[in-house]
Amino acid sequence: MIFDLQINPGVASWPVIRDAARAAEDAGFAALWTIDHLQGSVMAAPDMPECFSLLGAIAAVTSTIGLGPLVVNVNNRHPGVLANAAATVQSISSGRLLLGLGAGGGPQGSAASERRAIGISAPATVSERHAVLEHTLDMLDDMWSPQRDEKYDTFPLPSPRPPIVLGVNSERLARIAGRRTQGVNIRGSSDKAREVITAFVDEHRRAAPGQNHHATVWDFFDESLLAPGNHRIAEWESWGVNRVILIMFREIDVARITGAGKLLAS
């Protein structure tokens, strides 16, 4: 099982985030994830740094740990701008980016207020949001293809192309992830988690037999999940999960991150 760390960057200053990133790398976490929100209140925080800017800064102060946003709301950016931002982080990090993407919530969802405040409208229906997500995947395929159209000449081309992990809440999206991306993410305690993971793994094995994938679940940071023989880890593994992402939500505790190194090494 691979273990990653996710942080809520709105609850800490840059020096704390920097120290947490270095501590996570030293402790042996495989990747450090941040989030994509525009307003701190969505994540119970006083403000919220922009995710790609932050990932570029973290990339500059680390050297081995994977980095990624979990997840980018595809309604917050034009897909071409998203493609350039991701390619830039991939370059700065020397190929360590994992690109988390999501369809975003509806007009009445928990993050709707941040979009309304700056005039970004979200598609009203689930089908429309899924269509925007697939359009974004199409544009990434077009802009990042080695045989891309000449109109994309001199746009950043990431090398290597970063794996994409979709945040999902349904079997339908999980199967889209399996066909078109390299990973899926859902909260481990969700009542849909097992069907999402198994649907993704099944679809990915058919679409890309033998290729690596990231079947991930997230939960709140808890050292017991890192202990050998944890029953929840064993259950997730039985579904096909191969990566667990632990989030520090209310605060970023560098000492706890450092202490987790002993468990990761056991």
Side-chain angles (χ1 to χ4, degrees):
M1 187 67 74
I2 295 169
F3 289 96
D4 297 343
L5 176 69
Q6 185 177 17
I7 58 171
N8 176 1
V11 300
S13 64
W14 162 245
V16 172
I17 294 170
R18 177 198 60 211
D19 292 349
R22 289 171 171 167
E25 183 169 76
D26 291 343
F29 284 101
L32 177 68
W33 301 85
T34 185
I35 59 173
D36 178 35
H37 279 294
L38 308 174
Q39 188 174 33
S41 59
V42 179
M43 294 291 285
D47 67 9
M48 186 59 59
E50 195 279 323
C51 71
F52 287 109
S53 303
L54 183 62
L55 287 167
I58 294 172
V61 298
T62 57
S63 58
T64 60
I65 194 168
L67 302 171
L70 196 71
V71 289
V72 170
N73 183 342
V74 296
N75 296 293
N76 285 354
R77 297 170 185 79
H78 185 282
V81 175
L82 189 158
N84 270 26
T88 300
V89 173
Q90 184 71 323
S91 176
I92 294 169
S93 68
S94 299
R96 291 183 279 139
L97 179 67
L98 300 118
L99 181 57
L101 299 179
Q108 305 306 318
S110 60
S113 62
E114 65 179 6
R115 293 193 297 273
R116 283 196 301 268
I118 58 175
I120 296 177
S121 60
T125 69
V126 171
S127 294
E128 288 171 335
R129 292 194 293 277
H130 287 187
V132 172
L133 176 61
E134 292 219 64
H135 172 64
T136 299
L137 294 174
D138 290 342
M139 182 157 280
L140 293 178
D141 286 343
D142 290 346
M143 292 184 71
W144 290 350
S145 169
Q147 293 81 39
R148 63 188 183 176
D149 190 281
E150 63 181 11
K151 69 183 178 182
Y152 296 124
D153 285 353
T154 74
F155 280 81
L157 185 65
S159 181
R161 175 171 172 159
I164 294 174
V165 177
L166 290 191
V168 310
N169 57 9
S170 68
E171 181 179 340
R172 178 187 172 190
L173 263 186
R175 293 197 176 276
I176 291 173
R179 289 193 298 273
R180 302 204 55 185
T181 76
Q182 295 72 49
V184 74
N185 179 256
I186 187 169
R187 185 170 183 175
S189 61
S190 168
D191 57 5
K192 298 179 181 179
R194 182 171 187 169
E195 71 177 74
V196 160
I197 294 296
T198 55
F200 165 76
V201 171
D202 176 64
E203 199 71 35
H204 192 270
R205 283 175 176 165
R206 284 205 295 260
Q211 292 189 15
N212 292 337
H213 65 268
H214 306 278
T216 79
V217 296
W218 72 267
D219 209 326
F220 291 104
F221 190 94
D222 181 350
E223 287 86 351
S224 70
L225 292 171
L226 300 173
N230 181 276
H231 72 280
R232 292 172 68 196
I233 297 296
E235 180 182 12
W236 291 336
E237 196 167 24
S238 73
W239 305 343
V241 172
N242 58 14
R243 196 166 195 138
V244 174
I245 301 168
L246 303 179
I247 180 172
M248 284 189 160
F249 183 76
R250 295 289 177 184
E251 64 175 349
I252 299 174
D253 190 327
V254 176
R256 288 183 72 188
I257 296 170
T258 299
K262 293 179 181 179
L263 293 167
L264 288 169
S266 64

